Amino acid sequence: TFMGIRADAKKIVYVVDFTQSMDQDGRIEGAKRELMRSINGLPADGSFAVVIFSKQDDTSIQMPPEGQLIPATAEHKKAAAAWIAKQNTLDGSTTPSHAMRRALELQPEAIFFLTDGGFYSLDAQRMFEAVEQLNAKHAIVIHTIALHTEDGAYDLKRLADQNGGTITIPSDSSTVYFQENP
């Protein structure tokens, strides 16, 4: 599970918003904790990748090694925790199209996509084009999370609906998901 959404999949990609707005209200630290909780819960025969986005040049960053899913071994989970802990929010706006393309190219069974804001219509269009091209058969389930705000909820709902996923808009994310010891 991630942010309360369950995926019946062993190959998972997490696409997470690292814009500066995620610095507000402890969102980024909470997202990091929830990300690690979810990764630590993956079965040993699973695999995963983490892609973060928000750079001025609209590119994304994938946890090493790039271009592949990694086995969900204890060693890789520990390496993921160290990498995630080091990541800071990035300059730029909420532009997830590159991150979504990168996630789809990894051919997971499911994607968890978390953002705390809406995105520009041009980038939303690019994202939907990438999804249409790389997930034409809707074999990859895309779950979406509108964190802290309903900005972009229309696009997130459309993305989830068209790809067999679920959208969640936590009413009080900081309480529900971001407690140190829930």
Side-chain angles (χ1 to χ4, degrees):
T1 62
F2 182 67
M3 299 296 290
I5 300 174
R6 175 173 222 63
D8 293 323
K10 291 185 179 181
K11 294 170 25 178
I12 306 283
V13 176
Y14 301 88
V15 176
V16 182
D17 183 344
F18 265 64
T19 55
Q20 288 182 337
S21 63
M22 289 288 287
D23 279 332
Q24 297 175 7
D25 303 322
R27 288 179 230 164
I28 198 67
E29 293 307 317
K32 287 178 178 184
R33 281 192 300 276
E34 176 62 12
L35 184 55
M36 282 315 309
R37 187 209 56 76
S38 181
I39 289 169
N40 284 328
L42 292 173
D45 62 342
S47 58
F48 69 99
V50 178
V51 179
I52 63 174
F53 67 90
S54 177
K55 292 188 69 152
Q56 290 177 332
D57 60 1
D58 296 339
T59 59
S60 57
I61 300 169
Q62 183 182 340
M63 180 187 79
E66 292 195 27
Q68 61 184 320
L69 298 170
I70 60 170
T73 64
E75 178 183 337
H76 287 137
K77 290 176 183 180
K78 185 176 178 180
W83 184 83
I84 291 165
K86 289 191 313 188
Q87 301 308 306
N88 296 310
T89 55
L90 306 164
D91 289 337
S93 56
T94 307
T95 51
S97 63
H98 187 270
M100 188 59 70
R101 176 174 288 282
R102 182 177 273 200
L104 290 162
E105 287 172 347
L106 294 170
Q107 291 295 298
E109 296 168 337
I111 294 173
F112 287 114
F113 174 49
L114 179 144
T115 184
D116 75 338
F119 21 95
Y120 297 104
S121 58
L122 178 59
D123 196 66
Q125 180 182 343
R126 287 191 302 238
M127 180 181 65
F128 282 107
E129 288 170 359
V131 171
E132 187 175 310
Q133 175 191 11
L134 297 170
N135 198 29
K137 295 181 182 178
H138 308 291
I140 302 169
V141 175
I142 303 175
H143 299 290
T144 61
I145 301 98
L147 183 65
H148 189 73
T149 181
E150 293 187 26
D151 289 352
Y154 172 81
D155 288 330
L156 294 174
K157 181 172 179 9
R158 178 178 162 204
L159 185 61
D161 286 350
Q162 290 178 352
N163 295 280
T166 301
I167 181 174
T168 189
I169 305 171
S171 59
D172 186 358
S173 305
S174 61
T175 302
V176 177
Y177 297 105
F178 289 179
Q179 295 174 359
E180 284 288 338
N181 298 305

